[in-house]
Amino acid sequence: MNSKTATTAETTTAAKELQTKVILSGMRPTGPLHLGHLLGALKNWKKLQDEGNICFYMIADWHALSTEYEKPQMIRNNTFEIAIDYLSCGLDPEKSTIFIQSLVQQHIELHMIFSMIVPVPWLERNPVYKEQIAELQEKELHTYGFLGYPVLMASDIMVYKATHIPVGIDQLPHIELTREIVRRFNFFYKDYFNVPESLLTETPKLPGTDGRKMSKSYGNCIYLKENPKDIKKKILSMFTDPKRIYKKDPGHPDECPVFAYHTLFNKDHQKMKNMCLSSEIGCVECKRILSEIIVEFLKSIQEKRKELEKDPEKVWKILKQGTEKASIVAEKTLKEIKNIIGINYEKI
Ligand code: TRP
């Protein structure tokens, strides 16, 4: 490559990077958020917001209903809780549109349109679907709605013509399906949508307090709203290096879930590592230090939460205003789409 083409390529890349992204992401209101959500998603969402992108962050209550349809009462309460989690982690309603999915009806309309063009085998071979059906055997998930879960995600994304979707690796097959659906729409009707891209979060997965993936169903989470006493209790009961039986034995920090936390939260983690390797520090002391760091880390988030809990009206108002902002964009998109496919009755 000569220097001229290199420069052109570089400029193009730079121009692309400079373009404002339209971001959309969401979480299902099935329970309170934990440290894994913060490191794996919210931190990145906030960064994207603070970089000046156009951000839509929703609470995916319809998606929650797809698995929690037998006890839907908890969804509303969790919606409120998650809104507080979003806000206390720094999502700013002045910069981002924070809203409730079910209040913007165009998601459902676009879902209907997409569902007409999605071949069922695409959905049946979705690895996430197959995995969840196998894993959540206690639930009847062979429903029409659950099979269409990714179709609803595609609608969430395209109703705002989002360009970039920050998600964890587990959601990648869904974004891939969105891309397929969009291409199919463009092929049948008009080259209308840009094909969106996923933005993979760099943060490594945070293990739960038992070393497995942090998940509500395993009971191994540290919640963002967890009180300091419970945080300490949970961390002190964490499994450590299984090969270290006595304090005088040297530890294996790289195999220890407690050390995984130190790397993420403790700026002096190298020092901890050396002390563990040379058995200068025991596991109990190591966990005690960690618990203090985590309590301190969550302090400002929890203070913000307390403030918001005192003023629920304010939280609902933020969601209402976000929903109004989102609806304006969604209405415009649906109007255009209905014109494209010719299902419009404006003359009536
Ligand atoms: N399925 C996502 C999850 O469980 C939540 C979600 C719903 C979502 N709609 C979305 C994420 C659209 C990204 C884009 O995490």
Side-chain angles (χ1 to χ4, degrees), residues 24-28 58 60 63 149 153 156-157 165 167 171:
L24 178 126
S25 203
M27 287 188 200
R28 293 158 16 100
M58 64 169 192
H63 279 106
Y149 187 106
M153 269 181 78
D156 298 336
I157 295 165
I165 322 302
V167 283
Q171 294 292 315

Side-chain angles (χ1 to χ4, degrees), residues 73-122:
Q73 303 79 1
M74 60 84 147
I75 295 176
R76 186 181 184 276
N77 190 34
N78 283 326
T79 294
F80 181 74
E81 284 293 314
I82 288 202
I84 294 191
D85 281 326
Y86 280 7
L87 296 168
S88 53
C89 288
L91 296 193
D92 178 353
E94 298 286 322
K95 298 183 190 161
S96 296
T97 304
I98 303 168
F99 67 100
I100 301 176
Q101 180 191 32
S102 71
L103 292 181
V104 183
Q105 272 127 38
Q106 285 76 12
H107 290 236
I108 304 307
E109 271 191 274
L110 188 53
H111 173 258
M112 175 56 75
I113 295 170
F114 281 163
S115 76
M116 301 302 174
I117 64 169
V118 181
V120 173
W122 286 12

Side-chain angles (χ1 to χ4, degrees), residues 34-40 42-44 46 88-89 203 206 214 222-226 228 231-232 235 261-267 289-304:
H34 54 62
L35 276 179
H37 292 117
L38 175 58
L39 296 193
L42 288 174
K43 217 175 131 203
N44 193 32
K46 177 171 158 41
S88 53
C89 288
T203 333
L206 181 73
M214 192 177 272
I222 297 174
Y223 294 104
L224 299 181
K225 64 173 184 181
E226 192 108 44
I231 294 178
K232 284 187 181 148
I235 293 185
Y261 276 70
H262 274 289
T263 15
L264 291 168
F265 293 98
N266 181 355
K267 56 181 178 353
I289 295 173
L290 177 68
S291 71
E292 277 169 17
I293 292 172
I294 304 257
V295 167
E296 185 56 34
F297 174 82
L298 288 175
K299 204 168 159 189
S300 62
I301 294 176
Q302 296 191 346
E303 277 166 7
K304 186 104 195 274

Side-chain angles (χ1 to χ4, degrees), residues 272-291:
M272 294 300 297
K273 185 171 189 171
N274 294 340
M275 289 203 296
C276 174
L277 287 169
S278 60
S279 50
E280 270 169 82
I281 187 169
C283 296
V284 176
E285 178 63 3
C286 174
K287 289 195 275 191
R288 198 191 53 74
I289 295 173
L290 177 68
S291 71

